Amino acid sequence: MKIYKNPNLNLKHCNGVIAIGNFDGLHLGHQKVINEGKRKAKKNKLPFGVMTFEPVPVMFFNKKIKNHRINSLEQKKFYLKKFKIDFLIIIKFNKKFSSQSPEQFIKKIIFKKTKCKYLYVSKNFKFGFKRQGNISTLKKFEKKYNFKNIVTEPFKKNNKTISSTFIRKKIRLGKIEEVNRLLGRNWCVIGQVIKGQRRGRKIGFPTCNLKLNNYVVPKLGVYAVKVKSKNFNKNGIANVGYRPTFNGQNLLLETNIFGINKNLYNKEISISFKKFIRPEKKFRNLIYLKKQIQLDIKQAKK
């Protein structure tokens, strides 16, 4: 998979099929768009690629929006690579780019830069200055700019349209098993282990601490998780929250990894959420907390 930081494609990737979208989460709905585009490319013996935007436009326009992402950019690249697409275009979303009219975007990017023949988008795709462009706009300029726009029907589960917004809501509710079904894989947070207060180690349950940064904040509480690094792949339990027993102030993802008891500071680990166990709560003292952690570990191992 060739990665482009701008839409100036190599000749072998021009005149192909492109799916456009934010693709945050790369859930089953996104996978439907990509797979349909891939089939069209294969049938017509054309290159197939994905165009996405960084940062996520809604976070660019509203700096107050935090904890929004389902995936990091690196995760998005990793998952797209698994689809065996030919190329990925990452458009830098900034003031200049967002000020383009819908026709300017089609003319400059789709027509001149990529020379795209087939363009795949979802039904609610919006683009151009103040999101003025939509699928009707694409249809209007098809002949002028020599491309065919194909709209993928929404992916539905139990009569509900699957979207990134819907999945974020489920993550915040702690409905992790449902989230994982809609993603087609376990929801995962990747980050660097930071130093904490070492309280977990003192009570016999050492933890690796991560900041959630821009990830969606799941329901506060304890989860059964799978933890991976370059050197291990282990089960564990994780707590998302503020540590009310210790009057904590900062939100952290703290993970106790089964079978690992060593310093992992500054190491990158991925934490895949498997099942919600219980909400975060404040305990009377450390004795009660230790007893509950033992029960949590027993439940997670089940």
Side-chain angles (χ1 to χ4, degrees), residues 67-109:
N67 301 112
H68 181 79
R69 300 188 76 135
I70 300 170
N71 286 341
S72 68
L73 176 60
E74 289 307 310
Q75 284 173 292
K76 192 188 292 188
K77 291 180 192 174
F78 176 77
Y79 297 138
L80 282 169
K81 196 173 183 179
K82 286 192 167 188
F83 280 96
K84 296 182 178 177
I85 66 176
D86 297 309
F87 60 94
L88 168 64
I89 305 167
I90 303 170
I91 300 284
K92 186 176 181 181
F93 198 90
N94 54 26
K95 192 172 182 181
K96 183 181 178 182
F97 179 80
S98 65
S99 64
Q100 291 182 114
S101 71
E103 186 177 0
Q104 282 176 321
F105 171 74
I106 296 168
K107 182 180 178 180
K108 290 181 180 179
I109 308 294

Side-chain angles (χ1 to χ4, degrees), residues 1 3 8 48 72-73 79 92-93 103 117 127 162 169 242-243 250 252 260 288 293 298-299 302:
M1 181 180 80
I3 297 177
N8 293 313
F48 174 72
S72 68
L73 176 60
Y79 297 138
K92 186 176 181 181
F93 198 90
E103 186 177 0
K117 293 299 178 190
F127 67 101
I162 306 310
K169 182 181 177 183
Y242 294 89
R243 305 157 309 287
N250 301 317
L252 278 180
I260 298 282
Y288 284 91
I293 293 173
K298 190 176 179 182
Q299 179 68 23
K302 276 187 182 178

Side-chain angles (χ1 to χ4, degrees), residues 246-257:
F246 301 105
N247 298 312
Q249 300 296 314
N250 301 317
L251 179 69
L252 278 180
L253 169 55
E254 300 176 292
T255 307
N256 175 251
I257 309 168

Side-chain angles (χ1 to χ4, degrees), residues 1-48:
M1 181 180 80
K2 169 75 174 173
I3 297 177
Y4 295 95
K5 294 293 177 70
N6 58 59
N8 293 313
L9 304 187
N10 292 341
L11 194 60
K12 68 176 182 178
H13 292 143
C14 288
N15 300 294
V17 182
I18 296 178
I20 300 185
N22 288 319
F23 298 111
D24 185 26
L26 277 168
H27 53 69
L28 296 180
H30 292 147
Q31 292 173 36
K32 185 172 184 277
V33 176
I34 290 168
N35 286 328
E36 287 186 16
K38 272 184 72 179
R39 282 194 290 272
K40 173 65 80 173
K42 187 177 180 180
K43 184 180 177 182
N44 291 276
K45 296 181 180 177
L46 298 171
F48 174 72

